[in-house]
Amino acid sequence: MANVKSKGSTLNTLKQHALTAISYLIPIVVGGGFLLAIGSLMGGATIENFNSDWSFADTLYTMGSQILGMLPVVIGTGIAFSIADKPGIAAGFLVGLISIKMNAGFIGGFAGGYIAGYIALFLKNKMHVPQWAEGLKPMLLIPLISCFLVGMIMFYVLGTPISIFTEALNNFIKGLDMSQTLLFGLIIGVLSGVDYGGPINKVVYAFLLSLQSEGINEPMAVLMLASMVTPFGLTMMYPMQKIFRKNVFNKTEVDTLKTAFPMGVCMITEGCYPIIFNHLLPCVIATGIGAGVGGALSMLWACASPVPHGGLFAMVTMTNPFGWLAALLIGSLVFAIVLFVILKPVDPEAEIVLDESKEADIDLSDIKIS
């Protein structure tokens, strides 16, 4: 588990909690992402009904998509555990599930994990019970009360604003003028990329599917491009480190790139999450600019995709595929330049350090049955 000892400001402390989630996230992203990618390359699709015919490729695709679909749970649980230890796990798990239900994506799990963790920590430090109930406090009372409180916050405090925002965004997108090619492509590119598969992306995707049903395929090419700008841009930054003698990736992030890029080729952004978490605001800014530029060029060059997924492998179905590829590479380069300028130099040998004492704390060998 990531070392979460505070060494300075509150911001650094919050970041250390995120590193805990990242330490658990990496193997899950890699496993699920490659299952999804291999299944996609083999022509797989999600199995909707197990009573119908389905193939081996469908099995791989479904396993991968199910794993990646649970990432908000991993994020929420990891952050809450980092903050409050085992008493925070249940509430962190719950906010992840609610985030999936509300289509809040990894951002919902990320924010909710902090809410869950600090509620559990408050109860852990401030709740007083009789001596006979001390054993029930970490295993029953704190999980029960923290789950109730965080559930109320997610549903009644955050749920309504998310619903209102989603409806307003949907109305905004429907009101866009497609005849303004550059502006339309820029806006769709920005909205498709900035929340990395979260609620904004899902609203845009649903709208673009409706356009595809009418035979309008250019906007879907923009969304596909925007989903790939981040992994391609991060990969471009690696040689930039050597050229400009500025190290912006630590050792863990470099290792992440080895899986993030091939997943990005298949239009799977989740492989970048460990790096995105480390630099959330800079990555969002760079993604918005890069995806916006790429989206505008894709629309300008009339690139169109009749399929809604597939990444580079969907190019064979596209109208003006090489124009689309050029737009993707230009947008990714813009992303790389913006993020490279924003980020500060780091120690290239640094990595997420596992705290062995914390790991030992959850060793199942501690359980004894008499």
Side-chain angles (χ1 to χ4, degrees), residues 37-38 40-42 224 228 261-267 305 307 309-318 324:
I38 295 169
S40 178
L41 292 177
M42 296 171 62
M224 292 176 64
M228 300 168 68
F261 178 71
M263 290 168 64
V265 168
C266 301
M267 196 182 150
S305 175
V307 297
H309 207 282
L312 289 185
F313 302 98
M315 284 180 60
V316 295
T317 69
M318 291 183 182
W324 180 84

Side-chain angles (χ1 to χ4, degrees), residues 297-314:
L297 293 175
S298 179
M299 285 294 294
L300 178 65
W301 295 333
C303 307
S305 175
V307 297
H309 207 282
L312 289 185
F313 302 98

Side-chain angles (χ1 to χ4, degrees), residues 10-82:
T10 301
L11 182 61
N12 286 336
T13 302
L14 294 176
K15 186 173 181 179
Q16 291 302 314
H17 295 315
L19 291 178
T20 298
I22 292 173
S23 70
Y24 295 119
L25 189 71
I26 293 173
I28 295 173
V29 165
V30 172
F34 275 104
L35 284 173
L36 180 62
I38 295 169
S40 178
L41 292 177
M42 296 171 62
T46 301
I47 301 173
E48 302 290 350
N49 182 4
F50 281 89
N51 293 324
S52 61
D53 293 332
W54 41 273
S55 66
F56 177 68
D58 295 336
T59 304
L60 296 178
Y61 189 94
T62 302
M63 288 193 295
S65 61
Q66 288 294 308
I67 292 172
L68 295 185
M70 293 295 288
L71 290 185
V73 175
V74 180
I75 296 165
T77 305
I79 291 175
F81 175 54
S82 174

Side-chain angles (χ1 to χ4, degrees), residues 17 45 65 79 87 124 127 138 198 220 250 252 254 272 283 321 324-325 348 352 368 370:
H17 295 315
S65 61
I79 291 175
K124 183 179 178 181
M127 184 171 69
M220 187 59 76
N250 61 39
T252 301
V254 171
C272 302
C283 280
W324 180 84
L325 179 61
I352 296 176
K368 294 181 174 60
S370 59

Side-chain angles (χ1 to χ4, degrees), residues 306-365:
V307 297
H309 207 282
L312 289 185
F313 302 98
M315 284 180 60
V316 295
T317 69
M318 291 183 182
T319 302
N320 192 12
F322 293 106
W324 180 84
L325 179 61
L328 168 62
L329 295 177
I330 293 171
S332 300
L333 180 60
V334 170
F335 168 97
I337 293 172
V338 171
L339 188 58
F340 190 81
V341 170
I342 294 176
L343 293 184
K344 296 179 180 179
V346 299
D347 179 3
E349 297 303 318
E351 58 183 322
I352 296 176
V353 180
L354 299 183
D355 188 337
E356 298 295 340
S357 64
K358 284 291 236 178
E359 288 294 334
D361 191 42
I362 58 173
D363 190 344
L364 293 180
S365 65

Side-chain angles (χ1 to χ4, degrees), residues 15-362:
K15 186 173 181 179
Q16 291 302 314
H17 295 315
L19 291 178
T20 298
I22 292 173
S23 70
Y24 295 119
L25 189 71
I26 293 173
I28 295 173
V29 165
V30 172
F34 275 104
L35 284 173
L36 180 62
I38 295 169
S40 178
L41 292 177
M42 296 171 62
T46 301
I47 301 173
E48 302 290 350
N49 182 4
F50 281 89
N51 293 324
S52 61
D53 293 332
W54 41 273
S55 66
F56 177 68
D58 295 336
T59 304
L60 296 178
Y61 189 94
T62 302
M63 288 193 295
S65 61
Q66 288 294 308
I67 292 172
L68 295 185
M70 293 295 288
L71 290 185
V73 175
V74 180
I75 296 165
T77 305
I79 291 175
F81 175 54
S82 174
I83 295 171
D85 215 312
K86 286 184 283 188
I89 290 177
F93 190 88
L94 178 62
V95 297
L97 293 176
I98 294 174
S99 296
I100 295 172
K101 187 71 174 179
M102 300 170 80
N103 286 326
F106 90 92
I107 293 179
F110 188 83
Y114 283 103
I115 296 172
Y118 281 112
I119 287 177
L121 182 64
F122 176 82
L123 294 172
K124 183 179 178 181
N125 294 335
K126 301 296 183 180
M127 184 171 69
H128 300 287
V129 297
Q131 185 66 35
W132 60 267
E134 280 293 335
L136 298 176
K137 182 178 172 181
M139 302 302 293
L140 173 62
L141 299 178
I142 294 177
L144 174 62
I145 296 172
S146 61
C147 281
F148 172 78
L149 292 176
V150 80
M152 294 300 101
I153 292 173
M154 292 294 287
F155 279 116
Y156 291 100
V157 178
L158 300 180
T160 299
I162 289 175
S163 178
I164 292 173
F165 171 74
T166 300
E167 185 174 351
L169 177 63
N170 193 42
N171 293 332
F172 170 75
I173 295 172
K174 289 180 178 178
L176 292 175
D177 184 2
M178 287 188 61
S179 65
Q180 302 291 324
T181 305
L182 278 173
L183 181 61
F184 182 84
L186 185 146
I187 293 174
I188 293 298
V190 171
L191 295 178
S192 298
V194 290
D195 69 340
Y196 308 104
I200 300 175
N201 176 276
K202 286 180 171 61
V203 171
V204 176
Y205 184 70
F207 173 68
L208 299 190
L209 283 177
S210 69
L211 292 182
Q212 277 197 318
S213 68
E214 301 172 12
I216 303 172
N217 296 322
E218 289 83 0
M220 187 59 76
V222 173
L223 181 139
M224 292 176 64
L225 176 153
S227 301
M228 300 168 68
V229 158
T230 300
F232 274 60
L234 288 173
T235 304
M236 289 179 177
M237 289 172 63
Y238 182 72
M240 291 172 65
Q241 294 187 127
K242 309 294 183 183
I243 296 172
F244 296 102
R245 298 182 180 180
K246 176 185 176 183
N247 292 303
V248 294
F249 293 135
N250 61 39
K251 189 175 185 300
T252 301
E253 291 170 338
V254 171
D255 290 339
T256 298
L257 286 177
K258 297 174 184 177
T259 56
F261 178 71
M263 290 168 64
V265 168
C266 301
M267 196 182 150
I268 302 171
T269 313
E270 284 84 351
C272 302
Y273 278 8
I275 298 176
I276 292 170
F277 274 177
N278 265 345
H279 318 283
L280 184 58
L281 183 58
C283 280
V284 169
I285 294 171
T287 299
I289 297 173
V293 170
L297 293 175
S298 179
M299 285 294 294
L300 178 65
W301 295 333
C303 307
S305 175
V307 297
H309 207 282
L312 289 185
F313 302 98
M315 284 180 60
V316 295
T317 69
M318 291 183 182
T319 302
N320 192 12
F322 293 106
W324 180 84
L325 179 61
L328 168 62
L329 295 177
I330 293 171
S332 300
L333 180 60
V334 170
F335 168 97
I337 293 172
V338 171
L339 188 58
F340 190 81
V341 170
I342 294 176
L343 293 184
K344 296 179 180 179
V346 299
D347 179 3
E349 297 303 318
E351 58 183 322
I352 296 176
V353 180
L354 299 183
D355 188 337
E356 298 295 340
S357 64
K358 284 291 236 178
E359 288 294 334
D361 191 42
I362 58 173

